[in-house]
Amino acid sequence: MVPMFSASRIIKSSLFLLLAGGIISFNSCKKDDESATESVPLTPYSIDIPHGFPEPYLNADNPMTVEGIDMGHHFYYDPILSENGMRCTSCHFPNRSFSGLPYTTPAGDDIDIPPHVNLAWNPDYDWDGGIHMLDSLPLGDFAPQFFNTNMMALRQRLTASDYYSEMFKKVYHVTNFYSLTDDQLKMDIVKTIAQYLRSMVSANSKYDRYKLDHSVFTPSELNGYLIFMTEKGDCFHCHGDPLFTINQNKNNGLECNPTGINQGAYLITGIETDKGKFSVPTLRNIEFTAPYMHDGRFQTLEEVVEFYNSGVCQSSPNIDPIMTKPAKIYGLQLFDWEKADLVAFLKTLSDTTFMNNPNFANPF
Amino acid sequence: MKKLVLVLVLVSLFSCKKDATDFVDPTPTTSNVKVQITYNVDGEAVVFDTVRYTTPSGLPFSVVTVNYFLSNIYLIKSDSSNVKLADYFYGDGRDLTSTLDVSSIAIGNYIGIKFNIGVDSAHNIVDGLPATVDYNNMIWPEALGGGYHFLKFEGYFTDAGVNYGYAMHLGKNPNLVPVVLYHSISVSGTTSAINLKMNLNEWLKNPSIYDFNTDGNYSMMNDAAMQKLSENGTDVFSF
């Protein structure tokens, strides 16, 4: 079985520390508390929930700890997991809010690489919303077409690393990487990455400051905000405040006759009424995550806005009723300056303090 | 440390014993109330997305979304005083497992239930309700006055063979829908179930027919449409 920390164990051990005031040695602790077998107790981590954000989706089986996050942070940037030098940041670029350029599948489809921002608030992942568990999501990266990981060679590399040897001892009480099965080792690794991903919170954009102090917007940004948040542009029904996604699957009318990957959630569920629907993406840091849409079909925000302005296919199957309002049938009819205002507003969702946060920077 | 553990153990043993020997009140004075809401169109249970029903004005339609708030939910006593069940409740037509569960309601016979459809004016403001996923998705943007959607009732309809979307969104304080339902409700035993039904077609009739073609298939920014929905809304619920 994978050694795991239960939340109660962490509370117990930190409570004990508190009581003991660091005087009583861990030997006496062992006598009283059979669960305190770790050499050093882990430090529980709780997400600082930004104003207006709901409770994040956490996993009781994978409680966040400072140590777990640190290890996940290292794995995220470390080619140690792969046989080919690849790492998460080979595709998820830090200076693009951890998004990337489209990945071309063996079948020849382009799939845009989504950003990592506020993932703790996503109930499902990937463009088609097909993955529901962040804790196991990165398992796919060990596959031959990505990291091509050789698990025996990985054990050797981890054993040779002082950092990972020490951290595995701390976090999982594992002293011997060979005592774990391949699946256990992979799971232990990706769980720490998931902890790290959950710690990546962005809520310090110009827009967030606008909400606190209504003075910071330029006239153009303010007008864009009004277009976005009113029926005129009507973006808010899907990209609602404060996450800028309602985290549901919707069809925004990209394709009149979706085939191949454009069928979206239908490919997961096989339900006809899911055809053309994609998990609404967050627009936080959208300035940095070009190209746009699941296949990266739009290179700029101007192109995206022009799509919503004049390119929506009203007859797309299952197009969201919000997209087919009479005022939208002939497009949004925005003037050029209004389109520019909408783009200006979208750029107020940029949070450079997030991308420059040392907690998310390359730790090596 | 050992002493502390001992004390804790003693305390817990003691409290265990006390629980076990506590006498059981032979006549409980309160009960748990469970309000369950189901959805239909003129008596036919709603099947989302696929099934077509007919609006009062004769248009075939399907249902994609039914999200709404209830607020200030009270049981009415025979002396017409009230017992509060909850300040607010979020309903999702797709989720029949979400019920309003209230503990410790005085046992007895009540003559009805009353509530508003929508969020009462005190809470219908920016940050008026706690930030949950569901509540946030009902936010009425600050730029439009702030607060929450009272109702999102969306889907598709066909007219002369052409498919259109519709979205009946309700919000703004004057459009809060007062609902009073007189019906004998007995609160007794450990759990008392109160089963309410929402007939979606009642949004579109009584007192006035709401026709997607003439009144608008979208109610947003349309005060006349919202007022009609609000007036029609008083009898969407029944026992």
Side-chain angles (χ1 to χ4, degrees), chain A residues 197-255:
Chain A
L197 292 171
R198 288 198 173 99
S199 75
M200 300 171 78
V201 180
S202 167
N204 189 28
S205 63
K206 190 170 188 181
Y207 171 74
D208 295 294
R209 291 197 296 286
Y210 168 80
K211 280 215 297 189
L212 299 173
D213 163 6
H214 281 202
S215 68
V216 297
F217 274 178
T218 65
S220 169
E221 289 164 350
L222 182 62
N223 193 41
Y225 163 74
L226 293 174
I227 294 169
F228 188 97
M229 290 290 184
T230 64
E231 306 298 337
K232 188 174 173 89
D234 194 4
C235 314
F236 70 91
H237 277 116
C238 294
H239 301 286
D241 188 28
L243 295 168
F244 287 87
T245 167
I246 56 168
N247 282 318
Q248 294 171 8
N249 290 344
K250 299 280 188 188
N251 177 1
N252 61 349
L254 286 170
E255 293 281 328

Side-chain angles (χ1 to χ4, degrees), chain B residues 24-232:
Chain B
V24 177
D25 191 337
T27 48
T29 54
T30 63
S31 164
N32 301 324
V33 167
K34 182 188 266 306
V35 183
Q36 162 98 54
I37 298 167
T38 55
Y39 307 85
N40 67 81
V41 177
D42 293 336
E44 244 185 285
V46 170
V47 178
F48 278 83
D49 300 319
T50 45
V51 174
R52 294 267 162 168
Y53 308 92
T54 307
T55 67
S57 53
L59 300 166
F61 77 109
S62 68
V63 186
V64 170
T65 303
V66 178
N67 297 154
Y68 62 94
F69 277 113
L70 305 183
S71 60
N72 296 342
I73 309 159
Y74 293 95
L75 289 180
I76 309 170
K77 293 212 274 197
S78 55
D79 65 0
S80 67
S81 68
N82 300 313
V83 170
K84 183 179 269 187
L85 289 182
D87 286 325
Y88 41 82
F89 170 77
Y90 168 79
D92 178 349
R94 285 183 183 265
D95 182 7
L96 296 180
T97 61
S98 109
T99 52
L100 171 61
D101 296 294
V102 192
S103 59
S104 305
I105 294 300
I107 278 175
N109 289 318
Y110 295 83
I111 60 167
I113 186 169
K114 66 175 194 177
F115 48 81
N116 303 311
I117 305 176
V119 179
D120 63 306
S121 60
H123 295 97
N124 193 31
I125 51 174
V126 175
D127 294 333
L129 297 178
T132 70
V133 173
D134 292 332
Y135 298 177
N136 277 359
N137 288 349
M138 296 293 273
I139 284 176
W140 192 268
E142 194 177 351
L144 289 170
Y148 297 87
H149 285 78
F150 299 168
L151 169 76
K152 289 184 183 178
F153 165 27
E154 301 170 1
Y156 305 96
F157 73 100
T158 15
D159 184 33
V162 183
N163 197 36
Y164 300 92
Y166 71 87
M168 301 292 108
H169 286 197
L170 195 59
K172 296 197 200 167
N173 294 335
N175 297 319
L176 194 68
V177 184
V179 176
V180 186
L181 299 172
Y182 288 106
H183 185 270
S184 126
I185 299 167
S186 153
V187 173
S188 60
T190 43
T191 302
S192 314
I194 299 177
N195 296 312
L196 296 177
K197 299 181 202 137
M198 184 195 275
N199 177 0
L200 297 176
N201 255 357
E202 287 291 348
W203 287 109
L204 309 177
K205 63 183 176 190
N206 291 329
S208 336
I209 296 287
Y210 188 110
D211 184 333
F212 291 149
N213 282 326
T214 52
D215 293 295
N217 47 343
Y218 295 88
S219 64
M220 299 84 137
M221 300 292 276
N222 183 340
D223 284 329
M226 282 202 258
Q227 193 186 337
K228 209 172 204 182
L229 289 171
S230 169
E231 288 165 6
N232 285 347

Side-chain angles (χ1 to χ4, degrees), chain A residues 45 47 64 69 76-77 97-98 116-121 193-202 354 359-360:
Chain A
Y45 180 95
I47 296 178
M64 293 170 76
I69 292 169
Y76 188 80
Y77 278 92
S97 190
F98 311 95
H116 293 156
V117 54
N118 298 334
L119 288 179
W121 284 272
I193 299 178
Q195 288 186 36
Y196 170 64
L197 292 171
R198 288 198 173 99
S199 75
M200 300 171 78
V201 180
S202 167
F354 169 76
N359 293 337
F360 312 138

